[in-house]
């Protein structure tokens, strides 16, 4: 998988991170204020408006992206192993359709036009709640996260939080066909989310308010939706020029 094929994954991460802002924006100052409570079922992401916060904010995001890469490697490795046992051409095409349908759903979700993706997130939260007896003590032991290594550990945990947007891109990681390519897909996605979440960590509520404006969400949703529609058009055989290799998240193998 080359850099051009990873570019649209990064763009989807950038556009889709307005969802991260909405999901996490109410958690403020937890990495710098020792008295900040740990919210139930979530991990704080550090909204700190001074330069000393940067190492912790970056460490948190490095941990989060590392978890994405681990999930991508797992998804890509499992699919690659299965392909070595049996021919999965038809199944792969089915997942190609599903991956791009998920992008369409994500675009509509970002625009608040259809909330179907929230059902998938809710299913993931059921599993997350079952893991709480193990994870909650780990979170508390890391708080307050006054050092970069603590923020990194929080990011590692946060990266596994149920998220429909992450699930959408994990399908692309699975279709990559190998652990290394799956990790690369999720790295590109994580780097796409980095500007928004780093900005949230340093600027906080001002950025949150700006990115939650309806016109911003609609613009980002339309961009993600366009990637999904193009992918579906290619899968249907309607359009397949060379430039589609740059714009489709899951190019044919």
């Amino acid at each position: 998988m080359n850099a051009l094929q990873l570019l649209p994954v990064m763009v989807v991460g950038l556009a889709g991170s307005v969802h991260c802002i909405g999901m996490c924006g109410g958690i403020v100052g937890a990495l710098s204020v020792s008295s900040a409570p740990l919210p139930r079922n979530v991990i704080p992401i550090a909204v700190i408006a001074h330069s000393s916060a940067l190492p912790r904010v970056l460490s948190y995001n490095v941990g989060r992206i590392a978890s994405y890469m681990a999930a991508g490697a797992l998804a890509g490795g499992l699919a690659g192993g299965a392909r070595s046992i049996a021919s999965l051409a038809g199944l792969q095409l089915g997942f190609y359709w599903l991956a791009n349908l998920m992008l369409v759903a994500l675009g509509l979700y970002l625009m608040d036009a259809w909330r179907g993706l929230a059902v998938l997130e809710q299913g993931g939260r059921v599993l997350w709640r079952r893991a709480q007896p193990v994870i909650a003590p780990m979170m508390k032991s890391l708080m307050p996260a006054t050092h970069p290594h603590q923020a990194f550990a929080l990011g590692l945990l946060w990266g596994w939080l149920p998220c429909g947007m992450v699930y959408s891109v994990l399908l692309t990681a699975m279709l990559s066909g190998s652990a290394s390519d799956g990790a690369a897909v999720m790295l590109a996605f994580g780097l796409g989310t980095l500007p928004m979440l780093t900005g949230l960590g340093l600027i906080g509520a001002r950025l949150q308010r700006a990115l939650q404006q309806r016109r911003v969400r609609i613009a980002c949703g339309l961009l993600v939706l366009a990637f999904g529609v193009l992918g579906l058009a290619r899968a249907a055989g309607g359009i397949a020029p060379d430039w589609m290799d740059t714009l489709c998240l899951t190019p044919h193998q």
Side-chain angles (χ1 to χ4, degrees):
M1 181 166 285
N2 59 46
L4 281 179
Q5 291 171 330
L6 293 174
L7 180 60
V9 182
M10 186 178 297
V11 174
V12 166
L14 179 62
S17 56
V18 298
H19 170 59
C20 305
I21 297 287
M23 184 177 177
C24 312
I27 306 166
V28 180
L31 289 189
S32 62
V33 181
S34 60
S35 61
L38 184 65
R40 184 181 180 183
N41 294 334
V42 292
I43 302 172
I45 61 169
V47 178
I48 314 165
H50 49 77
S51 59
S52 64
L54 186 59
R56 279 168 288 169
V57 172
L58 290 178
S59 295
Y60 158 78
N61 281 290
V62 169
R64 177 178 60 84
I65 293 172
S67 289
Y68 292 166
M69 292 178 66
L74 181 62
L78 287 175
R83 186 181 295 118
S84 67
I85 298 172
S87 175
L88 295 179
L91 185 59
Q92 186 179 19
L93 181 61
F95 277 113
Y96 180 88
W97 275 86
L98 181 59
N100 284 286
L101 284 171
M102 287 283 285
L103 285 182
V104 170
L106 176 59
L108 295 173
Y109 184 36
L110 293 174
M111 293 187 287
D112 291 324
W114 184 63
R115 305 287 295 176
L117 207 57
V119 176
L120 184 61
E121 287 186 346
Q122 190 60 39
R125 288 192 182 100
V126 173
L127 297 177
W128 179 261
R129 283 195 295 270
R130 290 184 179 180
Q132 282 296 299
V134 175
I135 295 176
M138 297 170 62
M139 296 181 195
K140 291 179 181 178
S141 69
L142 295 168
M143 296 296 296
T146 55
H147 300 286
H149 72 273
Q150 293 171 309
F152 174 79
L154 285 173
L156 285 175
L157 291 173
W158 177 262
W160 297 100
L161 187 74
C163 176
M165 182 175 70
V166 174
Y167 298 157
S168 300
V169 184
L170 272 175
L171 282 172
T172 301
M174 184 182 69
L175 287 170
S176 69
S178 71
S180 59
D181 281 349
V185 167
M186 296 309 292
L187 172 61
F189 167 74
L191 291 176
T193 66
L194 189 59
M196 296 273 195
L197 288 182
T198 301
L200 179 63
L202 297 175
I203 302 174
R206 286 174 291 172
L207 180 61
Q208 179 190 352
R209 286 192 297 269
L211 293 176
Q212 286 190 308
Q213 294 182 43
R214 181 165 175 76
R215 61 186 177 185
V216 174
R217 292 186 65 89
I218 288 176
C220 291
L222 285 173
L223 181 58
V224 175
L225 180 64
F227 279 119
V229 170
L230 284 171
L232 291 174
R234 179 174 182 178
I239 50 175
D242 293 340
W243 55 266
M244 291 294 290
D245 287 338
T246 306
L247 294 180
C248 290
L249 286 184
T250 51
H252 294 303
Q253 303 296 318

